[in-house]
Amino acid sequence: MPYRVESVPFESRGAEHYRCQPFGQVPWITDGDLTVFESGAALLHVAERSEQLLPRDRRARADVAQWVFAALNSVEAASLPWFVLKFAGDGEETAERKAIASFLTSRLTHMEDVLSGRDWLTPRFSAADIAMADVLRLIDRFDGLASYPACKAYVTRAVERPAFRTAYEDQMAHFARGGEGG
């Protein structure tokens, strides 16, 4: 599927940006005359074009959709406060930070159980794995999967896929050019 990576200013986001993404965030995608914001919505929009990513069968489709939402609402929601503290270098031990870590541990323990003994969330690789692997990849960035070998192996499988490598390399090349060019 052809695509183009584009950048937007980090500051000074104008009216056009807010027209595409009402919260002034990224990402969003433009597909012809259609703009779709929020990563999960954009992922499902793209997945509509591939039966591999989003099966036509009603049950299989529901299985993929629920795992996409689980990645974004159950695992990412638990990981985001932890990730922000790690990214900021804030390692102070407080009751609040322990609660954040405990919440993430609970989610990762469940994901470890789910991923033990299987390659993907559904019987074959799907949009669900794109979402979940991306969420878990950010946790792994700060060694958060060290005690979760099935989660870590899952992320490794996902990022070793040729499609992931191509998209990642395209994005890094775009940034290396200073965010210019497609």
Side-chain angles (χ1 to χ4, degrees):
M1 175 180 310
Y3 64 91
R4 182 178 72 231
V5 178
E6 292 187 22
S7 294
V8 296
F10 189 74
E11 296 178 21
S12 305
R13 294 181 175 173
E16 178 63 15
H17 186 119
Y18 283 92
R19 187 188 65 71
C20 295
Q21 214 302 349
F23 302 105
Q25 302 170 173
V26 293
W28 76 80
I29 62 169
T30 303
D31 182 4
D33 64 348
L34 179 66
T35 299
V36 180
F37 70 94
E38 291 296 338
S39 56
L43 174 59
L44 290 173
H45 175 78
V46 170
E48 287 278 342
R49 296 181 179 193
S50 166
E51 190 165 357
Q52 161 112 16
L53 295 178
L54 191 60
R56 306 290 180 250
D57 173 76
R58 188 172 70 95
R59 289 188 197 290
R61 187 179 191 86
D63 203 20
V64 169
Q66 67 190 3
W67 278 113
V68 167
F69 282 90
L72 302 175
N73 295 333
S74 296
V75 181
E76 187 175 51
S79 70
L80 192 56
W82 178 88
F83 180 78
V84 169
L85 291 172
K86 291 288 187 179
F87 190 75
D90 187 341
E92 184 181 343
E93 285 295 319
T94 65
E96 294 82 4
R97 286 173 183 81
K98 287 180 183 177
I100 288 169
S102 177
F103 186 38
L104 179 58
T105 296
S106 169
R107 296 299 194 210
L108 292 176
T109 299
H110 289 293
M111 287 311 304
E112 184 72 10
D113 291 343
V114 167
L115 293 169
S116 292
R118 65 165 118 169
D119 287 338
W120 308 114
L121 292 170
T122 60
R124 62 183 191 196
F125 181 84
S126 71
D129 299 299
I130 293 172
M132 188 65 76
D134 193 54
V135 169
L136 293 176
R137 186 172 64 91
L138 291 177
I139 297 167
D140 194 39
R141 179 177 176 183
F142 289 101
D143 229 14
L145 298 182
S147 299
Y148 305 94
C151 291
K152 190 160 181 67
Y154 170 78
V155 169
T156 299
R157 278 190 301 280
V159 301
E160 288 178 349
R161 297 183 75 251
F164 176 90
R165 280 197 278 214
T166 297
Y168 183 81
E169 289 166 6
D170 287 350
Q171 187 176 23
M172 293 301 106
H174 174 78
F175 294 143
R177 290 188 304 271
E180 296 179 13

